[in-house]
Every structure is written in structure tokens, then in C-alpha cells.
Amino acid sequence: MDINTIAQMAGVSRATVSRYLNDGYVSQEKRAAIKRVIDQTGYVPSRQAKTLRTGKTDVVGVIIPKINSASISRMVAGITRVLNDAGYQILLANTDNDASREIGFLRLFTERRQVDGIILMGTVFTPEHQTALKECRVPVVILDQLLAGWPCVHQDDYAATREIADLVLKTSKAPGYIGVLEEDVSAGELRHRGFLDSCAARGVDVAEDAQAVAEFTVDSGYSCAEGIMGARPETDALVCATDSIAYGALTYLREHGIRVPEDVQVTGVGDGELSQIVTPRLTTVHHHYKTSGSEAAKMLLGLMTGTDTVPREIKMGYEIVRRASTR
């Protein structure tokens, strides 16, 4: 089944079918005849042929660092809501936190002309990333990180973590911190710096062995809490860079008879669904992840259509959600 067969069955010219498929002018009578044939046959126009004809794929590539993340799923939900309404499909690429795969997907998407634009949820930005981004032949928006000179939508991680640390330090004197690798500027460096600056403002010195670097997992949060509490049993608060890490810390404390929040306060970042049902319920930072995804998609649409040509930066707001894991 091709465009010539559709034309023959509908009793119209090939050019008329082409105009119909590309939203051009076709009389109501001929439009009804073509639609009837397409409905009967289930004909789907060739995407490759349309790409060759128009230079557009109507596909957007979204590069994510991991698939099993509540925050990332919320951002993807925001992206899809906007792009689907605009007639775009999404091609999702999961890198499993492998920076080299991010570069590989950037090049794959553009070299093979697979997408009209890219949303990149990057974790680190190496010189190789910068080169790959400059070589992209389609618009790119960075989501959940700040990269100078590029369109970005990101969280206020420094201020959010500093504020939640301020909350804890009202009643804690020996805090610990469980973060992630600082090459991840947003979740790693900025959140850690927010915690340390909050402590410094109150004259609280945090020992090296009261700070740990975890992976983005519950198990890693458990292990890091075990290490900190073993080295520093006087620790009376654990400020965690993510909710998942905090869940692991809560599990360790509960298994070892350490009361939360009476003995040790615990906080996270993310406000995932589990934060409302773990015991005790977790005090955390609520980032507006779904809205972030929507804003990134709107920014990309503007770049793809030429209505938005100047790189912009959007820093999202946040809320501190106080629950039972803090005093």
C-alpha cells in the first residue's frame, strides 16, 4: 500500500493525496474519499519519506541518566505532556549514569537525523560533552543541570539543601551528610555546599568521617549511615542528598534501635511517593520536577520552531516538606 494506490482507490490524483497527508487544501468531497480509503486500509504514511520531504522527523530525543528514578519519571511525564500535545513522539535513551553513553546518544541522534531536538538530563559535563553539544545539528535543552551558554531548566539545589540543613541545625549539634559524587554538580557539589555553608554559619565543624559519598540507592544509603554512625556515634542528624539515600539511612537506624527523630534526624531531597509512607515519614525537599520537564519541553519547542532563539535559563522554585523524621 502506497500513496499511488490510495489515490487510485479514492479516485483522486497522487498530488491530492499528498496535499491531504501534509494538511494542504483538499475539497471536502475528496478529503472524505481519501479518509475513507485510509480508514479501510489502515495506511500509515512513511516516516522516512516525510523526513526526506520536509526535513522533520516529529521526534524528540530525551537522554536520561537512569530509568528507575521517581524524579526522572516526573520530569519525563512533564516532557511528554507538552510534546505529545504538540504532535511529537519521544525517543528515550537511558545511559545508566554512564557519561560516555550521553555523548554517544548526542551524536547518534544528530548524525542519523533521527530527531528534531534533544532534551539532555546530564550528570557531568566534560570537554567531550561540550564538543558533542557544539556538533549537534538540532536544538538541545539541558534539564536538571546548569550549563553556561546553553538553554537550561534546573533546580535551586544549593538553596534548598541549605534551608533544610538550617531546619535540622535548630536542634542538632553533630550533623552528618550523605551525598553523591560531586562531578554531578547539581545533586553532588551544590547540595553538599549548601549543607556545609549552613553548618559554617552556625559554627558547626563537620568531621570528614561524618560525611560520605553514596550511590543513588537505598542500599548505599544504608551502608553510608552505618559507616558514619560507626565512626561518629554522637551524630544526631543525617542530611541526605536524595530520598533514596535517606530511606537507606532510616532503615539502618531503625534496625539498630536508634530513634528517629528523637536520637537522629533524617532528611532527603525529592519528595517521592515513598517519603509519605516510610516510617517515620520523611522530611524532604519538594522540587517541581514535572513542571521542570514541561518547561524544558516548551523551551525546546520554541527553539525547534524558531520562535525562541536566545538561550535562556530557568531556575525552579522548591518547598521544604516537614514530616516526622525531624524535630
Side-chain angles (χ1 to χ4, degrees):
M1 182 64 61
D2 59 20
I3 192 171
N4 293 317
T5 308
I6 295 295
Q8 185 178 9
M9 294 177 66
V12 299
S13 69
R14 185 183 189 282
T16 301
V17 177
S18 179
R19 287 198 304 275
Y20 173 89
L21 294 174
N22 290 283
D23 297 321
Y25 173 75
V26 177
S27 69
Q28 286 297 112
E29 181 183 355
K30 291 180 179 179
R31 182 174 291 275
I34 295 169
K35 183 180 185 303
R36 182 170 59 252
V37 172
I38 289 176
D39 289 345
Q40 289 173 351
T41 61
Y43 171 73
V44 177
S46 167
R47 182 172 291 277
Q48 286 182 323
K50 182 178 180 182
T51 300
L52 289 172
R53 186 172 61 254
T54 66
K56 291 184 59 181
T57 65
D58 293 332
V59 177
V60 166
V62 179
I63 303 173
I64 64 172
K66 56 182 176 177
I67 202 76
N68 58 335
S69 163
S71 60
I72 290 171
S73 67
R74 282 153 61 186
M75 285 187 278
V76 171
I79 291 168
T80 54
R81 181 180 62 184
V82 172
L83 292 180
N84 287 345
D85 287 348
Y88 286 87
Q89 294 182 338
I90 290 177
L91 187 57
L92 200 63
N94 175 35
T95 67
D96 286 325
N97 285 307
D98 185 333
S100 65
R101 289 185 182 177
E102 292 176 358
I103 297 168
F105 281 124
L106 283 171
R107 290 175 173 155
L108 175 67
F109 283 160
T110 57
E111 287 173 358
R112 298 193 180 182
R113 203 178 180 182
Q114 291 185 317
V115 299
D116 295 333
I118 298 171
I119 295 176
L120 170 63
M121 297 184 204
T123 52
V124 300
F125 291 104
T126 65
E128 290 78 12
H129 281 79
Q130 296 276 7
T131 299
L133 285 167
K134 290 175 182 176
E135 291 174 349
C136 282
R137 293 175 288 183
V138 298
V140 180
V141 171
I142 310 297
L143 177 55
D144 215 36
Q145 295 278 1
L146 173 61
L147 184 61
W150 290 89
C152 298
V153 179
H154 62 102
Q155 316 303 328
D156 195 354
D157 282 294
Y158 171 82
T161 310
R162 180 161 184 168
E163 186 173 336
I164 205 168
D166 288 345
L167 170 66
V168 165
L169 290 172
K170 289 178 180 178
T171 54
S172 288
K173 303 300 181 184
Y177 182 79
I178 307 177
V180 296
L181 285 174
E182 298 204 5
E183 286 82 359
D184 183 333
V185 175
S186 178
E189 178 190 344
L190 293 178
R191 293 179 189 178
H192 192 195
R193 182 148 49 91
F195 166 77
L196 291 176
D197 286 356
S198 175
C199 293
R202 287 160 179 74
V204 176
D205 184 33
V206 185
E208 287 294 325
D209 55 4
Q211 303 174 64
V213 176
E215 297 176 3
F216 290 83
T217 65
V218 174
D219 287 346
S220 188
Y222 184 104
S223 298
C224 288
E226 182 177 33
I228 290 173
M229 298 306 297
R232 296 277 171 174
E234 71 276 16
T235 298
D236 60 4
L238 289 172
V239 176
C240 302
T242 74
D243 282 355
S244 294
I245 292 170
Y247 301 152
L250 286 172
T251 302
Y252 170 81
L253 295 170
R254 182 172 60 251
E255 288 184 357
H256 290 78
I258 301 171
R259 299 172 302 166
V260 178
E262 293 85 355
D263 301 326
V264 178
Q265 300 185 80
V266 179
T267 67
V269 175
D271 194 24
E273 290 182 356
L274 288 177
S275 65
Q276 301 182 51
I277 60 175
V278 293
T279 303
R281 296 192 309 144
L282 183 66
T283 294
T284 185
V285 175
H286 179 85
H287 282 314
H288 300 282
Y289 287 122
K290 188 172 183 179
T291 304
S292 301
S294 296
E295 290 298 326
K298 291 174 185 176
M299 191 179 290
L300 184 63
L301 281 175
L303 293 169
M304 291 189 299
T305 59
T307 59
D308 191 354
T309 57
V310 179
R312 293 185 295 118
E313 171 198 337
I314 297 177
K315 181 188 287 186
M316 302 295 296
Y318 64 88
E319 300 171 38
I320 303 298
V321 183
R322 297 186 65 169
R323 297 195 179 102
S325 66
T326 52
R327 295 192 280 273

